[in-house]
Amino acid sequence: MIKAILIFNNHGKPRLTKFYQYYAEDMQQQIIRETFLLVSKRDENVCNFLEGGSLIGGADFKLIYRHYATLFFVFCVDSSESELGILDLIQVFVETLDKCFENVCELDLIFHVDKAGLSSAPSRAVSAVKELNIQQRIKDIKLPELPSIGSLKF
């Protein structure tokens, strides 16, 4: 289950936050600060999953993130979530923002938070991922007609 979605810049300034569990305002700020410290000090060549900080649940929670240009997109999830599934969700979320803003940047998140219902973008991204029916997509792939062995000439 997703507990929070945090987007902050390279300096730790929150640009978009959504908590799905109640935290007091000062606790939210501490969670954002701790999450930024955990994520920003990691090298680019390490995996994008780590245990949640002490404020957001410790080992019971995971921080899954992607770094695009000047923004960190961090999803705080419980241990039942798939890390790769959440990475896909982050990708779809960023693509959704790109469609809303035609190549999203940090300034779009600052000055146009209300554009195209940005507050509902996470739920639209989740819906888009849920609508992917992989089994049906595999069935829809059309392969060219292959000749039978009897019709081949040697």
Side-chain angles (χ1 to χ4, degrees), residues 96-104 108-121 124:
T96 302
L97 290 176
D98 268 344
K99 287 182 182 172
C100 288
F101 294 109
E102 297 176 14
N103 203 5
V104 67
D108 291 325
L109 298 180
I110 297 170
F111 295 115
H112 304 290
V113 175
D114 57 341
K115 182 181 178 186
L118 187 56
S119 61
S120 66
R124 284 187 281 160

